[in-house]
Amino acid sequence: MNEFECKQHHIHTLLAQKHLDALWLQRVSSFAWATCGAASYVNTATTIGAASLLITPEARYIITNNIEAKRLEQEESLGAQGWEFRIAEWHAANPAIAELTRGLRLGSDFPTPNAIDLTNEIARLRASLTPEEGERMRALGKLCAEAMHAAIRAVRPGQTEFEIAARLGAETQARGAQPIVNLIATDERIFAYRHPLPTAKQLERYGMLVLVGRKWGLCCSITRLVHFGKLPDEIRRKMEACARVDATFIAATRPNARLRDVFQRALAAYAATGFADEWRLHHQGGAAGYEPREYLGNPNSNDVVARGQVYAWNPSITGVKSEDTILVGETHNEIVTAIPDWQTIRVTVDDQVIERPAIACPS
C-alpha cells in the first residue's frame, strides 16, 4: 500500500468508526496530508484553503474555483491521483458540497454546520507520518537548520529585528521552504515575551531567532540564540537548565510512552533545576506534522507516542529557550534540525547523552 492509498484507508476506517458516510477536508494542513503534499492555499497564513477535498462512498472530489483548478490539476498532479474536480467560477458559490452530500452523514476537519466535527481525530491522523513523510521531514529539517545557521551567522549588533527576520525568511525561502513562523527578539524582549513578533528594535548583545518552515505541507520548528560579548552567568545557568528539560523531553518521547508521563518527567526536570513554575508561562510543544503542533503535550494528555511521529518540544525559562524537531525512531530519536558543528550542551538522561544547542557566542 503506497502513501496515498494508506491515507485513503485511514479516512475510510475513521468514517466507519464514526458511522459516517463522507468526509470534508477544508484545512490547508489536511489538504496537504491527504494529497501527499499539495498546496490549497493562496494566502500562506490562512487555515482554510481555496480548495477542499470531499471523500464519499463512491468517489473523491476536489471542490474549488476556476482560478485554482488548473494549477491543482497540472502542477500539483491531483488529476493523476484520481480526484474528480467540481469547479465553480470565482464569483459564484460552489454547490458541490450540498449536492454531493445530500442524505449523507458528513464529518469535517473544521467546525461546520450539519457535519460532525472531527478536528481532533484528523489531527491525530496527520501526526502519524508514513515512511515517505518521514523522509520528507528529514529533508525539511535539514533545510530549516541550514537556513537558521546562515541567518544567525549574519546577525550583527545594530541590526533591527525586522532586518534579522528578513534574513531568516530569505534564507528559508531560498531553500524552497516557507517561513510560516518567524519570531525575533533582542535583549530585554527575550525576557519579556514568549512569542516575540519582530520590531524595529536594534540588537545590542542578545538575540533569539525562531523558525517554523513549511514544505510539502509539513512543518518543522527550530530556535537558536546568539550573544555578543561575555555571556552572563545567569543566562548561562538558565540555558543549561533549559537544555536539561529539553533533553528530558527528548529522551522520554519514545514509542508507547504516554504523553502525560513524558510531560511529568519534564516537570520534574524543571523542578530539579530550580525553575519549577516556568512551564506555566508557555506551552511546551508537542506532536508536529502538517501543523506546527498537531496537538500539545500537557499534564493530562492521553495520547501515546508512536514510531514515525515527529515532536517539537520547546521548553523555555525566562530569557532562554531550547527547540528542535525530532523524528521518533524504533531504536532512537533523530534530531532532524541539528546544525552540524554548533556548540552544544551535553546532558545525560537515562544513561544516554543528548546534545542540546548552546547559545552561540561569536568571537
Side-chain angles (χ1 to χ4, degrees), residues 24-340:
W24 187 18
L25 297 177
Q26 303 175 69
R27 292 177 183 268
V28 168
S29 53
S30 299
F31 191 101
W33 168 75
T35 59
C36 306
S40 63
Y41 56 83
V42 177
N43 175 354
T44 59
T46 192
T47 298
I48 303 299
S52 62
L53 305 174
L54 179 68
I55 297 93
T56 72
E58 292 79 26
R60 49 181 181 266
Y61 303 92
I62 290 179
I63 317 299
T64 191
N65 59 48
N66 61 318
I67 302 174
E68 308 306 321
K70 185 176 181 180
R71 181 187 65 82
L72 291 170
E73 183 176 10
Q74 296 180 1
E75 289 195 334
E76 300 288 4
S77 302
L78 297 187
Q81 276 189 355
W83 298 95
E84 180 180 334
F85 282 72
R86 290 299 182 96
I87 304 166
E89 293 187 356
W90 63 266
H91 56 84
N94 196 323
I97 291 295
E99 293 175 355
L100 294 170
T101 62
R102 188 172 292 115
L104 300 182
R105 294 164 296 180
L106 179 65
S108 179
D109 67 338
F110 192 81
T112 302
N114 303 316
I116 301 300
D117 185 2
L118 298 177
T119 298
N120 292 333
E121 290 84 351
I122 298 299
R124 268 66 185 178
L125 291 182
R126 293 194 306 258
S128 297
L129 303 191
T130 65
E132 296 92 336
E133 289 170 308
E135 288 301 315
R136 294 200 290 272
M137 184 63 82
R138 284 190 179 95
L140 175 58
K142 183 179 180 181
L143 294 180
C144 291
E146 290 174 349
M148 176 63 76
H149 198 198
I152 213 162
R153 285 185 299 177
V155 170
R156 297 290 183 272
Q159 293 174 340
T160 68
E161 293 171 353
F162 286 141
E163 290 173 320
I164 297 169
R167 185 61 178 261
L168 180 57
E171 295 289 354
T172 306
Q173 289 274 181
R175 290 166 171 80
Q178 294 175 329
I180 61 171
V181 176
N182 186 345
L183 304 178
I184 308 295
T186 58
D187 306 301
E188 70 276 5
R189 292 191 73 238
I190 303 175
F191 296 82
Y193 309 112
R194 256 35 180 214
H195 289 160
L197 300 179
T199 71
K201 184 197 172 300
Q202 292 182 318
L203 169 68
E204 297 173 21
R205 288 185 175 275
Y206 189 27
M208 178 174 71
L209 287 69
V210 181
L211 171 68
V212 177
R214 181 171 68 185
K215 187 176 176 67
W216 307 295
L218 294 167
C219 299
C220 195
S221 303
I222 178 173
T223 294
R224 292 294 185 270
L225 298 108
V226 59
H227 191 281
F228 295 87
K230 186 177 184 298
L231 187 65
D233 290 341
E234 180 65 9
I235 295 179
R236 186 187 305 278
R237 184 175 76 88
K238 285 184 173 182
M239 193 66 221
E240 291 174 351
C242 197
R244 176 159 293 281
V245 175
D246 198 11
T248 300
F249 266 124
I250 293 171
T253 307
R254 298 295 300 137
N256 301 317
R258 294 191 306 171
L259 273 194
R260 65 170 61 183
D261 297 331
V262 174
F263 207 88
Q264 289 299 330
R265 289 194 57 185
L267 295 191
Y270 267 114
T273 57
F275 297 97
D277 292 325
E278 285 282 331
W279 71 275
R280 299 180 183 277
L281 303 179
H282 186 242
H283 75 75
Q284 302 298 296
Y290 288 83
E291 298 280 357
R293 302 296 185 273
E294 295 287 6
Y295 48 90
L296 297 176
N298 64 63
N300 301 310
S301 297
N302 290 319
D303 289 280
V304 175
V305 179
R307 181 172 62 87
Q309 286 188 316
V310 167
Y311 283 81
W313 298 112
N314 50 257
S316 60
I317 296 170
T318 301
V320 301
K321 180 183 176 185
S322 184
E323 179 180 32
D324 271 308
T325 300
I326 65 170
L327 178 62
V328 179
E330 185 172 350
T331 60
H332 68 284
N333 292 336
E334 179 183 350
I335 300 173
V336 300
T337 47
I339 299 177

